[in-house]
Amino acid sequence: MDFRSDTVTKPTSAMRQAMAQAPVGDDVYGDDPTVNELEQWTAKRHGFESALFTTSGTQANLLGLMAHCERGDEYLCGQQAHNYKYEAGGAAVLGSIQPQPIENNPDGSLDFAKLKAAIKPDDCHFARTKLLSLENTINGKVLPLSYLADAREFVDTHGLSLHLDGARVYNAAVALDVDVKDIAQYFDSMTVCLSKGLSAPIGSLLLGSHEFIAKARRLRKMVGGGMRQAGILAAAGKLALTEQVEQLKLDHQNAKRLALGLSQIDGFKVNPDLVQTNIVFAKLDEHIDINQIAEQLAEEGITISTGNPIRFVTHKDVSSNDIDTLLSKLAVYCNT
Ligand SMILES: *Cc1c(COP(=O)(O)O)cnc(C)c1O
C-alpha cells in the first residue's frame, strides 16, 4: 500500500493488453495511428481544436507556457502552482519566461485584485504580462466553475490568455459532478495528466488551438520530447480517459474515509469537510514522530510520506480496506 501519490498507480490489465496490441508508427513523422487517434479524440472530447501527447505533465506545462509566451514575457500564477514551484523553474530556465506568482487563497484560487495589480504596464522597464495560469485541482482543492468564469472575464478584460494546469482536472470534474468540458470551456489551453489517478504508465496531453499546438509540437521536439512508436503509451492513455474516470469517485470517497479516521486519532488534525478529492492533508502534533512511524509502516509494506502537514493520496491501488488497515496501525503507533 502506497499513500504517497496517485502517480504510483500501476496500469490496468486492459491497458497492458491494449499496449501489446496497439498499431504503431514513427510519431515524429506523424505516422503513429494510435497517437493520432488519441490526440484527435482528446481534442474533441475536451472542446479544443488540437492536442499533443507529451512525456509528462511537466513537459506539457512547459510547452504550454512557451507556446503562449516569448522570451521576456511573463505569466501570472499561484505561489503554490505546480508550474511555478515544482517544475525546476523550467519556464524561466528554458523559456526565458518570467513567472509572477501571487499568494493563493486558502481555497486555492487567486485574488483578481492582486492579479490586476501584478499586470505590468506596457513600458520598457517591465516584462510583458501575457498569461494567467490556473491549476484545478490545486493541492486537492477544486476551483468552482463560477471562479473559472470570472477568470475568463478577467483575462478578456486585460488582454491575457488563460492556461489550465489540469493534471487532475478529472478529479475536479468528478468532484463538481460536471463534464470535463464544462471546466475546459474557459481556457485557451489545458493539460491533462494520464499517469496519476487515471493510471496510465506514462503521458500527458496539451490541448489548444491548431496554431498553438503546432508551435508546441515544434517545442516538444526541441526539448527532446519527440517520441517514436509512442502508440504503445497512447493506447493506455486512451483507456485512462475512457475507463478510469469512474474510479476517481471511489478515490474521493476513500479520501473522506481516511480523513474521518485520521481526525479520530490523537495527534492528527484534519477537517474532513475540507477534503474535496483524493488528497488529504493533516497537521501533526509535536509528539508525533512521523519519521519513526513511517519506518514502522514500511516494515509492514505500507508507504507514506513524511512531513508536516503530512499528505496522503488515495488511488485505485489502495482500497477502503487498506485505508482501514492504515488507520488502525496509525492509531496504535500514535498512542505509544
Ligand atoms: C503531477 C503534476 C504535474 C506534473 O506532472 P508530471 O507528469 O509529474 O511531470 C503538473 N501539475 C500538477 C498540478 C501535478 O499534480
Side-chain angles (χ1 to χ4, degrees), residues 2 123 156 166 191-192 236 257 280 308:
D2 193 337
D123 174 315
D156 286 343
T191 64
V192 181
R257 185 188 191 91
V280 179
N308 192 7

Side-chain angles (χ1 to χ4, degrees), residues 233-247:
L233 303 175
K238 178 77 182 284
L239 292 178
L241 294 171
T242 51
E243 295 193 352
Q244 293 308 120
V245 176
E246 268 304 293
Q247 170 67 36

Side-chain angles (χ1 to χ4, degrees), residues 7 56-59 61 82 87 135 137 165 167-168 193 195-196 204:
T7 54
S56 67
T58 299
Q59 188 178 69
N61 270 327
H82 200 283
E87 298 182 3
E135 189 172 314
T137 62
D165 178 346
R168 294 194 180 88
C193 217
S195 66
K196 292 201 165 156
S204 280

